[in-house]
């Protein structure tokens, strides 16, 4: 275990490299891609500092995918084991699965009842993180969704389902690209959607109960996926898929919707590229704001999350600037936005698409079994 | 080390056991900080990682190894193949460059080559990987340049961002390192025998392979073994260049830890890497011992 503590030294250094001039430093650690860190450094942090003179927001990005959340988890666990009275992360932004682990191991504070915006959220993700009850411990920062991005110049008949996609790939070898499961969550989401489509009872995977023998039913799905993989191009991550789409090296690939729109808004992506949420569905997930159990500045942390989940910030920051779906309930956000900004989120993927084809990730043990099954039956 | 020999010699001169013991005591004191560093930062984590590879909640077991082998056996073979091929190419290119630097006839080409070949030495692996990503992509710099020059048909362009990209990056990065060592060793060889052979009409190639290379073989082996160990431990190059499977062991280790917090299987893969590095070192030691025997 101590070796894990050693591995965390760089993260500890980053957190410790504080601005000494400020009276109070609020340490915010965020997992996820670059845009997550940017959101806090460029938008939310400065706003909070303005409202709280003498407070400095120190942001640490811990990296994309579950890996980023794992680093936060290990740091908190190390501080808990060491018996520290004050932990040096005040607010963390984590993925669903690790959020569930942290609640189970008592590393987080139940804070939703203490903040005014706590009543503005409802829905499954507020209480349930891949099968773990996290009610009270989390506030969704935003909801994000994976979908298939495609180049309409190269794809005339856009596949509307996994079945049609399989046929399309048969006739257009190497024109579809995804990032496997080791290079980020959009590839993991694509594989999960595949198992939902061909692995039997998708409802059971999403909502439980967990049954040991279930994974054996996916063998044919994995064998087909292995065959499918022979005809696709592998990309080095979500950003890699977008890059290759942009250079015309692939014509289609699964991506995170928010990153797609943000890149387009920044002029980094061909404005003609489009999105399609295929049937029977692809997964999306929220990112959670959490407060560690022994955060040094717990009250400031709650104020920070209250600001972050207020309708104004959700409208301006989450939807308008960063193209995420809001974390709090939509009716609380819609009124704070003009119609054009609201509509922009639903140009390619309509609310009807979302309600029929947006899926959560499976409960944790099935999720692990899917990743493991891919490793042993598809990649090997 | 000099401190040890110095004090032991002086205590030997005084001739008393007492002062000799004291001398050893001082030497140990001098060694202690370095030794403590090695123990704390190398030996302890190493032992811990080997221990964790053989240990699960059920006690001592090979479960981590069987899972690692079941999931990643292809990656083990892939890593061995990539590193063997890269090492072979590094050896060929290093001998060629160092050989020309030592025996080449055109002083101008030698000067340019000597100036050029070292450049990749100063570039970290991660930067090299990023350079190669833009250079070797399907619509990357290399293919675009070839297309502009009319040497490549755009439709037949292929991406080198796969196993070949890893080999190209490893070779590009390690050749200068081995060449630097090898050229140094070749320059230190007494020139009289090469000159004698030249006077007797031997070709430069013959001089290289029959006279110069045998005398600098040990340095070449050292360089190659160090390269093997270095390449085994690089994560950035395979992760950035080769998005497909199979992939190298370092990527699997990172994935086991990052995605599932599974230190057991990651450490089992680590022990396999130690074994591969150990095998390379054993080959090296064997040649060293053979050469030292009369």
């Amino acid at each position: 275990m101590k070796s894990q503590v050693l591995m965390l030294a760089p993260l500890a250094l980053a957190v410790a490299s504080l601005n000494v001039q400020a009276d109070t430093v609020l340490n915010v650690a965020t997992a996820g891609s670059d845009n997550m860190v940017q959101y806090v450094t460029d938008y939310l942090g400065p706003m909070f500092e303005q409202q709280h003179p003498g407070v400095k927001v120190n942001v640490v990005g811990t990296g994309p995918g579950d890996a980023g959340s794992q680093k936060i988890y290990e740091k908190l666990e190390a501080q808990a084991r060491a018996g520290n009275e004050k932990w040096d992360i005040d607010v963390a932004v984590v993925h669903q699965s690790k959020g569930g682990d942290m609640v189970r191991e008592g590393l987080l504070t139940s804070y939703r009842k203490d903040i005014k915006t706590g009543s503005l959220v409802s829905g499954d993700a507020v209480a349930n993180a891949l099968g773990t009850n996290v009610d009270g411990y989390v506030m969704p920062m935003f909801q994000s969704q994976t979908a298939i991005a495609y180049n309409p110049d190269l794809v005339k008949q856009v596949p509307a389902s996994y079945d049609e996609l399989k046929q399309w790939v048969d006739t257009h070898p190497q024109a579809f690209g995804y990032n496997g499961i080791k290079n980020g969550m959009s590839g993991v989401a694509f594989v999960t959607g595949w198992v939902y489509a061909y692995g039997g009872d998708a409802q059971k995977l999403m909502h439980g109960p967990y049954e040991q023998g279930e994974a054996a039913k996916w063998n044919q799905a994995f064998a087909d996926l292995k065959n499918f993989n022979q005809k696709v191009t592998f990309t080095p991550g979500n950003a890699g898929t977008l890059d290759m789409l942009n250079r015309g090296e692939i014509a289609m690939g699964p991506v995170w919707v928010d990153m797609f729109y943000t890149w387009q808004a920044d002029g980094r992506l061909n404005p003609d590229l489009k999105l399609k949420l295929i049937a029977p569905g692809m997964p999306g997930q929220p990112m959670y704001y959490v407060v560690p159990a022994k955060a040094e500045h717990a009250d400031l942390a709650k104020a920070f999350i209250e600001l972050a989940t207020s309708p104004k910030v959700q409208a301006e920051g989450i939807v308008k600037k960063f193209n995420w779906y809001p974390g709090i309930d939509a009716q609380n956000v819609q009124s704070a936005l003009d119609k054009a900004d609201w509509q922009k989120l639903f140009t390619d993927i309509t609310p009807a698409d979302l309600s029929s084809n947006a899926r959560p990730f499976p409960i944790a043990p099935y999720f692990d079994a899917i990743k493991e099954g891919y490793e042993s039956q598809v990649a090997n | 080390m000099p401190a040890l020999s110095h004090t032991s010699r002086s205590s030997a001169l005084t001739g008393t056991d007492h002062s000799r013991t004291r001398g050893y005591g001082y030497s140990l004191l001098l060694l202690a900080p370095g030794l403590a560093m090695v123990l704390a930062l190398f030996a302890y984590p190493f032992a811990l990682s080997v221990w964790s590879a053989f240990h699960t909640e059920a006690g001592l077991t090979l479960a981590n190894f069987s899972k690692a082998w079941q999931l990643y056996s292809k990656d083990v073979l892939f890593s061995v193949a990539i590193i063997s091929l890269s090492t072979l190419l590094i050896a060929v290119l290093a001998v060629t460059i160092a050989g020309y630097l030592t025996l080449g006839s055109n002083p101008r080409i030698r000067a340019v080559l000597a100036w050029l070949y070292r450049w990749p030495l100063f570039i970290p692996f991660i930067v090299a990987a990023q350079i190669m990503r833009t250079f070797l992509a399907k619509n990357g710099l290399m293919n675009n340049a070839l297309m502009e020059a009319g040497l490549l048909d755009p439709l037949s362009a292929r991406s080198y961002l796969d196993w070949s990209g890893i080999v190209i990056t490893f070779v590009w990065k390690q050749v200068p390192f081995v060449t630097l060592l090898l050229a140094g060793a070749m320059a230190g060889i007494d020139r009289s025998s090469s000159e004698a052979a030249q006077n007797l009409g031997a070709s430069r190639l013959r001089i290289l392979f029959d006279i110069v290379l045998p005398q600098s073989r040990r340095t070449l082996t050292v360089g190659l073994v160090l390269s093997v160990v270095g390449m085994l431990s690089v994560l950035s190059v395979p992760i950035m260049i080769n998005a497909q499977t199979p992939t190298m062991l370092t990527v699997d280790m990172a994935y086991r830890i990052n995605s599932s917090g599974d230190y057991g299987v990651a450490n089992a893969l680590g022990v396999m890497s130690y074994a591969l590095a150990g095998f390379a070192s054993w080959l090296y030691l064997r040649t060293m011992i053979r050469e030292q025997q009369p």
Side-chain angles (χ1 to χ4, degrees), chain A residues 293-313:
Chain A
K294 293 189 178 170
E296 193 175 355
H297 307 295
D299 288 336
L300 268 179
K302 289 176 197 170
F304 182 85
I305 297 173
E306 194 172 274
L307 174 71
T309 50
S310 65
K312 182 175 159 283
V313 169

Side-chain angles (χ1 to χ4, degrees), chain A residues 111-129:
Chain A
Y111 71 93
R112 184 149 67 86
K113 58 186 183 313
D114 303 338
I115 62 173
K116 285 187 208 133
T117 51
S119 58
L120 302 180
V121 281
S122 60
D124 194 42
V126 177
N128 176 7

Side-chain angles (χ1 to χ4, degrees), chain A residues 138-160:
Chain A
V138 302
M139 281 291 283
M141 173 187 179
F142 64 82
Q143 181 73 36
S144 194
Q145 179 61 43
T146 50
I148 304 288
Y150 65 95
N151 184 341
D153 292 340
L154 302 173
V155 185
K156 296 299 173 198
Q157 290 218 306
V158 189

Side-chain angles (χ1 to χ4, degrees), chain A residues 70 372, chain B residues 64 67 253 256-258 260-267:
Chain A
Q70 171 78 11
E372 201 98 342
Chain B
N64 288 328
K67 190 166 184 183
M253 279 186 243
R256 285 319 296 185
I257 292 170
N258 288 337
S260 30
D262 182 357
Y263 285 86
V265 171
N267 279 319

Side-chain angles (χ1 to χ4, degrees), chain A residues 18-137:
Chain A
L18 311 172
N19 188 334
V20 283
Q21 291 147 350
D23 302 327
T24 312
V25 175
L26 186 76
N27 288 314
V28 180
T30 168
S33 298
D34 239 16
N35 50 351
M36 305 276 301
V37 182
Q38 254 175 40
Y39 176 71
V40 187
T41 45
D42 299 353
Y43 176 73
L44 201 54
M47 192 190 297
F48 188 75
E49 284 169 6
Q50 210 169 31
Q51 292 180 5
H52 296 78
V55 175
K56 167 101 182 105
V57 176
N58 177 49
V59 189
V60 183
T62 58
D66 278 346
S69 295
Q70 171 78 11
K71 289 197 189 96
I72 296 173
Y73 165 80
E74 286 180 4
K75 185 156 207 306
L76 295 180
E77 196 210 15
Q79 297 191 80
R81 276 169 181 271
N84 291 4
E85 276 311 305
K86 303 268 183 225
W87 299 354
D88 60 4
I89 295 177
D90 298 307
V91 178
V93 184
V94 297
H95 292 81
Q96 268 190 309
S97 63
K98 298 296 167 193
D101 291 349
M102 290 179 198
V103 169
R104 265 203 308 279
E105 300 197 14
L107 298 173
L108 301 180
T109 310
S110 174
Y111 71 93
R112 184 149 67 86
K113 58 186 183 313
D114 303 338
I115 62 173
K116 285 187 208 133
T117 51
S119 58
L120 302 180
V121 281
S122 60
D124 194 42
V126 177
N128 176 7
L130 312 186
T132 302
N133 180 9
V134 293
D135 200 7
Y137 292 88

